[in-house]
C-alpha cells in the first residue's frame, strides 16, 4: 500500500495543501504539509487507514492494502473538492472478506502482544512466587512461625548452584540445549538441605524445645536473614550475575513474524517454559507426598493438632526435619529458576521476600493451594499494573477511541 507521485514531480497544489501520511499502527493520520522530495510513502500496516474528509487541509481517507493512490489524482480531487468520490473510490477496494481478515489480524496481534508482555511473564513469575510461597506456607503451617530468612535462603541456594555450575563448565560439562544449572540443581538442593539442617539445629530447635512464642522465632529468623545475607555477599559479591547458558529463546519474535505474517512477534524464552514445567512437577510431587506417604500424613496431622499428633505416636523431630528438607527443595527451585529467568543479585532476593509473603497471605497463610493461587494473583497484578495497554487497545478499539 503506497502513495506516490506518478511522474516523480512535485504537484504544487498537493505540496501546499496535502498533509503527509504518518505511519501509526493500523490508523494513519495526516498532519502538516507535504514538502518532502520523496513522494513514495510506504505504510507498514496490513490493516486499513481509517478516517474522514472535512477540508483540503485535513484529509483522512481509507485505502485498501493493495491500492496505489497517485498524488496527481488527489490534487485533481482537491481542486474539484470531490471528497465523496475519493471515499467511494477507496472503499471500493475493500471487500467484506478483506475487512474480516483485517479484523482477525488485529485480534491476533492484540493476543500476541498481551501474551508477550503480560501472560507469559506472569505465568513464569507466578510459578517462581508460588514455589517460594509454598515454602513459607509449609514452615508457618507446621512449625508455626513466619520465616523471614526465606529470601536469603533462596539467595544462598542460588549461590551454591552458581558455584557448582561454574565448576561443571570449567570441566567442559554442559547440558547442551538446556542450561548447565539444571545439572547443578540437585547439588544445590543438597547444599540447601545442609544449610536448613544446620540452621534448625543451631537456632530454631533451641527455641522450639523451650516452647518460645512465635514472635521469638520471627526475631530469630531475622537474625538468620542478616547472617546469610552477609555470607552470600562475602562469597559471591554484590554484582549482577547471569549464569544462564544453552539456547535462550525457543521462539524468536522475528521468526514468529515471518512465520505468521503478523506485525507483532512472540518471544518465548527457554527459562520461562522450564520454570512453569518444573513448578508443575514440584507441586504435583509435593501434593502426592503429603497425601500418599506416611511422613506426609504425619506432617498434616501435626499441622492440624500438635498435641493429638504427639498422643498418636508421631515423632515431632521427624516431622520438623521433613518440613525443612521439603522447604529446602522449594527454596532452591524458586531461587535458581528466578535467577535463570532474570539474573542473580543478593539484593534482589532480599526484595523478593515481600511478594512471596504477599502471595502466601493472599492465598491464606498455611494453605498450600492458596499459596499457589496467591503467587499467580500477585504476579499478574504486579506485571499488569506496570504494563502500558495503549498499544494493545489500539488493536481492539476504533481509531476514534484508541
Amino acid at each position: 500500500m503506497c502513495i506516490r507521485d506518478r511522474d516523480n514531480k512535485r504537484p504544487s497544489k498537493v505540496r501546499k495543501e496535502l498533509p503527509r501520511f504518518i505511519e501509526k499502527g493500523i490508523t494513519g493520520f495526516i498532519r502538516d504539509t507535504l514538502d518532502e522530495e520523496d513522494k513514495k510513502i510506504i505504510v507498514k500496516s496490513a490493516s486499513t487507514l481509517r478516517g474522514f474528509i472535512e477540508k483540503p487541509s485535513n484529509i483522512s481517507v481509507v485505502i485498501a492494502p493493495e491500492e496505489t493512490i497517485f498524488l496527481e489524482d488527489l490534487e485533481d480531487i482537491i481542486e474539484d473538492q470531490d471528497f465523496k468520490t475519493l471515499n467511494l473510490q477507496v472503499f471500493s477496494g475493500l471487500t467484506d472478506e478483506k475487512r474480516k481478515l483485517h479484523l482477525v489480524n488485529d485480534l491476533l496481534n492484540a493476543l500476541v502482544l498481551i501474551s508477550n508482555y503480560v501472560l507469559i511473564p506472569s505465568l513464569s513469575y507466578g510459578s517462581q512466587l508460588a514455589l517460594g510461597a509454598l515454602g513459607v506456607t509449609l514452615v508457618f503451617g507446621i512449625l508455626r512461625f513466619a520465616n523471614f530468612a526465606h529470601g536469603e535462603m533462596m539467595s544462598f541456594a542460588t549461590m551454591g548452584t552458581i558455584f557448582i555450575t561454574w565448576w561443571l563448565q570449567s570441566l567442559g560439562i554442559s547440558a547442551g540445549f538446556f542450561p548447565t544449572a539444571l545439572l547443578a540443581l540437585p547439588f544445590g538442593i543438597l547444599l540447601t538441605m545442609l544449610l536448613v539442617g544446620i540452621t534448625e539445629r543451631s537456632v530454631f530447635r533451641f527455641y522450639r524445645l523451650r516452647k518460645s512464642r512465635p514472635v521469638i522465632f520471627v526475631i530469630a529468623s531475622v537474625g538468620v536473614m542478616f547472617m546469610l545475607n552477609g555470607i552470600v555477599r562475602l562469597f559471591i559479591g554484590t554484582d549482577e550475575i547471569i549464569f544462564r547458558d544453552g539456547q535462550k529463546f525457543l521462539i524468536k519474535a522475528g521468526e514468529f513474524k515471518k512465520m505468521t505474517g503478523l506485525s507483532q512477534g512472540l518471544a518465548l524464552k527457554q527459562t520461562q517454559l522450564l520454570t512453569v514445567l518444573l513448578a508443575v512437577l514440584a507441586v504435583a510431587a509435593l501434593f502426592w507426598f503429603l497425601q500418599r506417604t506416611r511422613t506426609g500424613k504425619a506432617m498434616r496431622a501435626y499441622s492440624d493438632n500438635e498435641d493429638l499428633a504427639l498422643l498418636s505416636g508421631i515423632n515431632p523431630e521427624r516431622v520438623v526435619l521433613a518440613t525443612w528438607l521439603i522447604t529446602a527443595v522449594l527454596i532452591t527451585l524458586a531461587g535458581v529458576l528466578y535467577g535463570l529467568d532474570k539474573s542473580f543479585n543478593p539484593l534482589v532476593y532480599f526484595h523478593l521476600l515481600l511478594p512471596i509473603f504477599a502471595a502466601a497471605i493472599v492465598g491464606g497463610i498455611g494453605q498450600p493451594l492458596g499459596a499457589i493461587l496467591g503467587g499467580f494473583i500477585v504476579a499478574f497484578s504486579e506485571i499488569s499494573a506496570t504494563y502500558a495497554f495503549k498499544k494493545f487497545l489500539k488493536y481492539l478499539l476504533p481509531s476514534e477511541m484508541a
Side-chain angles (χ1 to χ4, degrees):
M1 175 171 54
C2 67
I3 303 173
R4 65 184 180 85
D5 184 354
R6 181 185 286 115
D7 299 322
N8 293 323
K9 297 179 180 178
R10 187 197 320 233
S12 58
K13 186 74 175 180
V14 175
R15 177 179 178 275
K16 293 179 180 179
E17 299 184 0
L18 179 65
R20 73 168 67 93
F21 279 86
I22 307 297
E23 295 178 8
K24 191 173 181 181
I26 34 179
T27 305
F29 298 96
I30 306 176
R31 296 173 183 169
D32 305 326
T33 58
L34 187 64
D35 55 359
E36 299 178 352
E37 293 291 337
D38 186 8
K39 297 301 184 301
K40 188 176 181 181
I41 305 174
I42 305 298
V43 183
K44 292 180 180 179
S45 175
S47 301
T48 60
L49 297 175
R50 191 171 299 171
F52 59 92
I53 296 178
E54 292 181 351
K55 54 185 178 179
S57 61
N58 183 19
I59 300 177
S60 183
V61 296
V62 181
I63 303 175
E66 73 278 8
E67 292 290 333
T68 298
I69 304 298
F70 293 100
L71 294 182
E72 289 88 347
D73 298 332
L74 292 179
E75 181 183 18
D76 295 336
I77 293 172
I78 291 174
E79 291 176 346
D80 297 338
Q81 296 186 357
D82 190 1
F83 307 135
K84 186 176 181 181
T85 303
L86 174 61
N87 271 331
L88 292 176
Q89 174 189 353
V90 174
F91 270 111
S92 64
L94 286 174
T95 63
D96 291 339
E97 183 178 351
K98 290 176 182 177
R99 291 174 188 274
K100 293 179 181 178
L101 180 60
H102 298 328
L103 178 60
V104 171
N105 284 339
D106 288 344
L107 292 176
L108 290 176
N109 279 316
L111 178 60
V112 171
L113 183 66
I114 202 69
S115 299
N116 214 23
Y117 292 100
V118 177
L119 297 182
I120 294 177
S122 296
L123 285 174
S124 177
Y125 183 44
S127 298
Q128 296 154 11
L129 291 183
L131 290 172
L134 270 175
V136 170
T137 291
L138 279 179
V139 172
F140 187 89
I142 298 174
L143 305 183
R144 289 175 173 74
F145 76 93
N147 181 21
F148 276 80
H150 196 85
E152 297 306 326
M153 288 181 173
M154 288 172 57
S155 179
F156 181 92
T158 309
M159 179 191 69
T161 305
I162 290 174
F163 284 147
I164 297 171
T165 300
W166 288 345
W167 177 66
L168 292 175
Q169 290 173 343
S170 68
L171 297 177
I173 300 174
S174 69
F177 178 82
F178 298 99
T180 307
L182 290 182
L183 299 178
L185 190 59
F187 300 98
I189 291 174
L190 292 177
L191 281 176
T192 310
M193 287 180 173
L194 181 62
L195 169 70
V196 297
I198 293 174
T199 305
E200 157 62 22
R201 288 291 179 178
S202 61
V203 180
F204 297 121
R205 187 171 183 267
F206 173 83
Y207 296 107
R208 191 176 64 257
L209 293 178
R210 284 158 179 74
K211 298 187 180 298
S212 301
R213 293 179 297 171
V215 66
I216 302 298
F217 283 90
V218 172
I219 295 173
S221 70
V222 172
V224 173
M225 175 186 72
F226 285 115
M227 180 189 69
L228 291 177
N229 185 275
I231 292 174
V232 172
R233 292 188 186 190
L234 176 65
F235 281 97
I236 204 169
T238 58
D239 295 334
E240 183 180 24
I241 297 173
I242 298 177
F243 60 101
R244 175 186 60 246
D245 57 358
Q247 183 169 331
K248 183 177 181 180
F249 287 98
L250 296 177
I251 301 176
K252 295 182 179 180
E255 295 175 355
F256 185 86
K257 288 181 182 180
K258 292 179 181 179
M259 181 175 61
T260 61
L262 297 175
S263 59
Q264 292 296 326
L266 180 68
L268 178 63
K269 293 193 294 186
Q270 184 191 84
T271 52
Q272 292 173 328
L273 183 61
L274 279 176
T275 296
V276 176
L277 291 179
L278 289 178
V280 170
L281 291 176
V283 169
L286 174 62
F287 278 90
W288 177 86
F289 178 84
L290 293 176
Q291 298 290 334
R292 300 294 183 181
T293 65
R294 184 175 180 179
T295 304
K297 293 177 181 178
M299 291 171 63
R300 290 164 51 206
Y302 190 87
S303 175
D304 292 338
N305 192 317
E306 182 179 348
D307 294 331
L308 185 59
L310 295 177
L311 291 174
S312 302
I314 293 176
N315 185 354
E317 294 297 326
R318 183 180 179 183
V319 170
V320 170
L321 179 61
T323 301
W324 278 115
L325 293 182
I326 294 173
T327 302
V329 176
L330 297 173
I331 282 172
T332 310
L333 281 175
V336 172
L337 291 175
Y338 183 87
L340 281 173
D341 189 32
K342 298 172 180 63
S343 63
F344 173 81
N345 189 310
L347 293 177
V348 171
Y349 288 87
F350 177 78
H351 297 147
L352 198 60
L353 183 66
L354 181 59
I356 287 176
F357 266 82
I361 294 171
V362 167
I365 191 74
Q367 302 295 326
L369 281 175
I372 298 170
L373 181 61
F376 287 104
I377 291 176
V378 171
F380 273 90
S381 301
E382 185 175 334
I383 293 178
S384 298
T386 56
Y387 176 69
F389 284 89
K390 183 178 180 180
K391 192 172 183 179
F392 171 74
L393 294 175
K394 282 183 179 180
Y395 284 110
L396 302 180
L397 298 177
S399 59
E400 296 80 6
M401 297 177 59

